[in-house]
């Protein structure tokens, strides 16, 4: 009896512990000193998305350094220095929402987005209610933008174009062109939207989609999806997943003897350095999609071109090259800076108007929002891992090398 | 048919690794009556030790299991002796809180020390596979890990039943008061048990690093797996965690085939509920653990 009680209590504690607990960071002093423009950012500094959260923070920090290095944001005749208050949402949407609310209580109306679609979605609802304004750096799920929000603006391309751009690249570049595609998707909202976009594009371009399998978000075991796909012998396996699932897919496919003739295409995992580090040679030939590369066309007065941004970032972080998480974060911060400058005011309503009307070129590509707040003018890039490095292969005008095809040479 | 065999085989191999992850958790629960929520952090600790040894010395992760186990044994022994022992007689909630706190400290410490990056210990042969008749593939890394798991569990069972140290651990687990009267030093035995459990977790971590990926955020997942496997199998018995791990692996593999893949975790917990309802002691649980004398 005692054991049964113990089991019950412990189950409850474990579930509660995993769902609800976490640590919050120290409270920053967000009092807006004269001559300072304070932005608030709730970020995944710990928890499941700590890795990406920290990359996002680096992007925000680059923006702060560059803008303050050039004297600050010109607003109505004087210059305001940028100050960013960070709070740790422990990768949990409800905490992100609370933190954005707390920023509002402290008078911080201009918000930089959290990492990921789930946290961004939760924050967007609060931003709308509090009449704050949010520049979204990484929440790409289209569902965030179907709720009629008017105060959240995403600088990045929407989720539907992540897998679709890779399918399009295969259609444009692969010779011989593959015929059949299998999709493997994580089961979170963002990944599902990505997959739906990819499947739709594949069917539209005349590919046969032989399977669409879902795996739990964040799992390191995708073997059940792979064994289901194996008998269908797809030419290419396209996956919409994060790093953990993406690495598992390549590793376990190898273990299970699944060798699609065209290889693998995975959305966000391949451009991150961890992908090559964990997979080694097995990563070669894998295709990925990216919001940004250092060949992205366009420039702006704060950061210059994508190449210039590369150098700025490397100077700030020990020579490390930026990847798209950092760039999209800097671009979100840039959008707010440009809007404040154009509005000539830090009043949230005026900044919102300026953001909605923004039409600028930047190191991140064009920044222009549709009425829903999405940046649909920008195209995604497609990369391929070649000799252990992600290399841009599509679109052709900003590519560094030709697509190596077929991607699978084992 | 070969698809079914493949799924079963892969599930068993996966289950073997889960068993090795869970066996120390089950041991501590059975002997100390402490549900160690920091167990997953021990697993990751072992994975990082093996990772660093591989990075610096090129040591194979399966050989790295030994140093990983030794390091974790020392950590586990000290943590029990000087921290957990303070509350070992306290109500279950206190030990839960303490070990949960330890897990938070360990996970965030690992975040600082090793960053939140995903890691894997790249060994070429681990991803190779033997092809059996019918096209069924037998991945080498997972096979080695699963065989080691079974071997370690059997060896631990032998140590517990056949050596003085093992018997004194079991005796203390059954009735601490009586064990003390027989001249057994309970504090030492408890610390030893906790150390052995941490060592097993460390060895499991090295195996996990060789066949999969890990990052500090995985600690909670490993604790949860251990909990489910330990309860499924029956508390305190070495073989219980083994059966529990294998059943969990099989349930996830078959569940993933028969149902949409996203329900895999639900299947694992459904099996847990079913076993608890039909056989609350777990598959291999023994009656005397339920009837033990609490000091």
């Amino acid at each position: 009896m005692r054991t049964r009680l113990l089991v019950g209590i412990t189950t409850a504690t474990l579930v509660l512990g995993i769902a609800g607990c976490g640590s919050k960071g120290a409270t920053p002093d967000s009092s807006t000193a004269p001559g300072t423009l304070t932005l608030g950012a709730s970020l995944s500094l710990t928890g499941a998305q700590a890795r990406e959260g920290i990359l996002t923070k680096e992007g925000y920090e680059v923006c702060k350094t560059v803008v303050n290095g050039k004297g600050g944001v010109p607003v109505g005749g004087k210059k305001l220095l940028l100050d960013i208050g960070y709070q740790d949402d422990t990768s949990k949407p409800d905490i992100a929402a609370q933190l954005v609310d707390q920023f509002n209580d402290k008078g911080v109306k201009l918000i930089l987005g959290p990492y990921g679609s789930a946290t961004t979605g939760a924050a967007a609802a609060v931003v709308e209610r509090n009449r704050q304004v949010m520049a979204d750096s990484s929440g790409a799920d289209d569902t965030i933008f179907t709720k009629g929000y008017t105060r959240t603006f995403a600088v990045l391309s929407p989720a539907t174009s992540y897998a679709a751009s890779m399918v399009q690249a295969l259609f444009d570049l692969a010779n011989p062109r593959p015929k059949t595609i299998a999709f493997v998707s994580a089961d979170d909202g963002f990944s599902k939207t990505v997959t739906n976009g990819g499947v739709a594009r594949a069917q539209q371009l005349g590919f046969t989609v032989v399977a669409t399998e879902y795996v739990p978000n964040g799992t390191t075991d995708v073997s059940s999806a792979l064994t289901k796909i194996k008998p269908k012998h797809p030419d290419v396996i396209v996956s919409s997943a994060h790093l953990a699932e993406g690495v598992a897919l390549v590793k376990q496919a190898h273990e299970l003897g699944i060798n699609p003739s065209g290889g693998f295409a995975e959305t966000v995992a391949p451009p991150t350095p961890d992908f090559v580090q964990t997979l080694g040679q097995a990563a070669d030939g894998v295709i990925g999609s990216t919001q940004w590369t250092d060949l992205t066309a366009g420039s702006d007065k704060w950061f210059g071109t994508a190449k210039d941004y590369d150098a700025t970032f490397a100077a700030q972080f020990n020579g490390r090259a930026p990847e798209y998480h950092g760039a999209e974060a800097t671009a979100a911060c840039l959008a707010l800076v440009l809007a404040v400058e154009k509005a000539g005011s830090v009043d949230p309503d005026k900044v919102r108007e300026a953001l909605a009307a923004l039409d600028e070129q930047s190191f991140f590509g064009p920044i222009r929002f549709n009425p829903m707040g999405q940046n649909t003018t920008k195209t995604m890039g497609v990369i391929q891992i070649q000799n252990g490095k992600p290399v841009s292969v599509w679109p052709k005008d900003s590519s560094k090398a030709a697509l190596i095809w077929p991607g699978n040479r084992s | 048919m070969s698809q079914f065999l493949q799924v079963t085989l892969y599930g068993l191999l996966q289950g073997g690794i889960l068993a090795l992850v869970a066996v120390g958790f089950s041991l501590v629960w059975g002997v100390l009556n402490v549900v160690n929520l920091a167990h997953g952090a021990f697993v990751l600790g072992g994975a990082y030790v093996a990772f660093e040894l591989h990075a610096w010395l090129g040591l194979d992760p399966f050989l790295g299991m030994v140093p990983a186990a030794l390091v974790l044994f020392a950590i586990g022994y000290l943590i029990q002796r000087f921290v957990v022992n303070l509350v070992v007689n306290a109500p279950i909630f206190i030990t839960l809180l303490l070990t949960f706190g330890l897990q938070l400290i360990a996970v965030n410490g690992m975040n600082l020390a090793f960053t939140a990056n995903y890691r894997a210990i790249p060994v070429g042969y681990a991803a190779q596979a033997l092809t059996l008749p019918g096209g069924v593939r037998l991945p080498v890394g997972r096979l080695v890990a699963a065989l080691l798991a079974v071997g370690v569990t059997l060896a631990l069972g032998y140590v517990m039943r056949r050596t003085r140290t093992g018997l004194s651990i079991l005796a203390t687990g059954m009735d601490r008061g009586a064990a003390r009267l027989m001249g057994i030093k309970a504090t030492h035995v408890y610390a030893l048990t906790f150390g052995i459990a941490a060592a097993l977790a460390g060895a499991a971590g090295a195996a996990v690093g060789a066949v999969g990926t890990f990052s500090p955020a995985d600690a909670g997942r490993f604790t949860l797996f251990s909990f489910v496997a330990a309860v499924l199998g029956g508390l305190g018995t070495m073989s219980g965690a083994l059966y529990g791990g294998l059943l969990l692996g099989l349930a996830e593999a078959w569940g993933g085939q028969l149902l949409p893949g996203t329900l895999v975790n639900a299947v694992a917990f459904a099996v847990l509920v079913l076993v608890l309802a039909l056989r609350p002691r777990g598959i291999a649980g023994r009656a005397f653990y339920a009837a033990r004398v609490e000091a």
Side-chain angles (χ1 to χ4, degrees), chain A residues 53-96:
Chain A
I54 289 163
L55 292 172
T56 305
K57 185 182 176 189
E58 288 174 356
Y60 291 153
E61 283 297 296
V62 168
C63 175
K64 187 171 105 176
T65 314
V66 168
V67 169
N68 290 349
K70 293 189 176 176
V73 192
V75 182
K78 60 176 184 176
K79 291 204 166 187
L80 300 182
L81 288 180
L82 216 51
D83 178 35
I84 305 175
Y86 297 102
Q87 290 277 44
D88 178 14
D89 62 30
T90 70
S91 310
K92 297 187 180 99
D94 52 337
I95 298 183

Side-chain angles (χ1 to χ4, degrees), chain B residues 44-217:
Chain B
L44 288 173
Y48 280 110
V49 170
F51 178 88
E52 292 297 332
L53 285 172
H54 180 265
W56 289 97
L57 308 172
L59 187 67
D60 185 281
F62 289 112
L63 296 175
M65 281 173 124
V66 178
L70 290 176
V71 170
L72 266 290
F73 176 82
I75 294 174
Y77 189 95
L78 294 174
I79 286 183
Q80 159 61 27
R81 192 70 187 253
F82 296 106
V83 185
V84 180
N85 206 38
L86 300 175
V87 299
V88 80
N89 288 329
I92 184 79
F93 278 117
I94 304 294
T95 52
L96 283 177
L97 273 179
L98 177 70
T99 54
F100 186 64
L102 285 173
Q103 137 130 341
L104 284 181
I105 294 171
V107 167
N108 286 300
M110 285 188 279
N111 258 336
L112 287 176
F114 302 106
T115 73
N117 290 11
Y118 288 91
R119 313 275 181 122
I121 308 170
V123 272
Y125 68 84
Q128 299 302 320
L130 311 170
T131 309
L132 305 180
V136 175
R137 306 267 292 186
L138 185 60
V140 174
R142 284 175 199 275
L143 179 66
V144 174
L147 288 179
L148 281 172
V150 175
V152 167
T153 311
L154 293 178
L156 188 67
Y158 179 83
V159 167
M160 285 294 161
R161 295 265 157 225
R162 294 278 180 269
T163 65
R164 275 187 81 83
T165 316
L167 288 173
S168 64
I169 288 177
L170 284 185
T172 316
M174 283 181 221
D175 187 338
R176 193 173 52 179
R180 272 188 169 152
L181 292 175
M182 298 298 120
I184 295 170
K185 282 175 80 177
T187 40
H188 173 69
V189 167
Y190 274 2
L192 197 64
T193 310
F194 210 82
I196 292 173
L200 293 169
V208 165
V211 299
T213 52
F214 58 94
S215 84

Side-chain angles (χ1 to χ4, degrees), chain A residues 101-267:
Chain A
D101 224 6
Q102 286 174 16
F103 278 125
N104 186 57
D105 295 343
K106 292 175 198 149
V108 179
K109 290 285 187 184
L110 304 183
I111 300 293
L112 292 168
Y115 176 77
S117 285
T119 41
T120 305
V126 177
V127 162
E128 197 68 19
R129 187 188 66 206
N130 293 337
R131 305 190 64 78
Q132 291 164 290
V133 177
M134 178 159 76
D136 165 12
S137 63
S138 64
D141 190 349
D142 296 58
T143 56
I144 302 171
F145 303 93
T146 55
K147 296 181 177 156
Y149 297 152
T150 57
R151 308 180 79 88
T152 296
F153 297 88
V155 291
L156 69 174
S157 302
T160 36
S161 54
Y162 276 69
S165 60
M166 298 193 298
V167 171
Q168 185 70 49
L170 289 175
F171 182 84
D172 291 350
L173 304 175
N175 184 23
R177 189 180 289 160
K179 291 187 181 67
T180 53
I181 300 181
F183 283 85
V184 176
S185 173
D187 64 354
D188 58 301
F190 165 73
S191 301
K192 282 179 169 171
T193 313
V194 168
T195 302
N196 292 341
V199 169
R201 181 71 64 90
Q203 285 166 343
Q204 186 193 333
L205 293 175
F207 293 107
T208 310
V209 177
V210 292
T212 308
E213 291 294 338
Y214 293 92
V215 298
N217 184 16
T219 185
T220 52
D221 180 13
V222 298
S223 59
S224 62
L226 285 170
T227 38
K228 281 195 228 175
I229 286 176
K230 190 175 182 182
K232 294 173 181 165
H233 301 290
D235 294 337
V236 181
I237 296 180
V238 176
S239 104
S240 159
H242 312 90
L243 194 62
E245 306 97 297
V247 168
L249 187 78
V250 176
K251 267 195 170 186
Q252 294 188 314
H254 202 71
E255 288 178 351
L256 292 167
I258 299 168
N259 289 309
S261 59
F264 299 89
E266 302 190 351
T267 49

Side-chain angles (χ1 to χ4, degrees), chain A residues 2-3 6 10-11 14 46 51 187 214 220-221 223-224 227-228 243 247 251-252 254-257 274 278, chain B residues 3 6 10 14 29 33 35 37 92 108 117-118 120 127 129 137 142 212-213 221 227 256-257 259 261-262:
Chain A
R2 190 185 159 87
T3 312
L6 205 67
T10 316
T11 313
L14 271 172
T46 60
R51 166 88 179 120
D187 64 354
Y214 293 92
T220 52
D221 180 13
S223 59
S224 62
T227 38
K228 281 195 228 175
L243 194 62
V247 168
K251 267 195 170 186
Q252 294 188 314
H254 202 71
E255 288 178 351
L256 292 167
D274 295 10
T278 46
Chain B
Q3 189 174 344
Q6 176 73 75
Y10 206 87
Q14 191 80 336
W29 195 346
N33 204 27
V35 177
L37 296 184
I92 184 79
N108 286 300
N117 290 11
Y118 288 91
R137 306 267 292 186
R142 284 175 199 275
T213 52
R221 197 162 54 84
F227 178 79
Q257 283 307 298
L259 298 166
T262 165

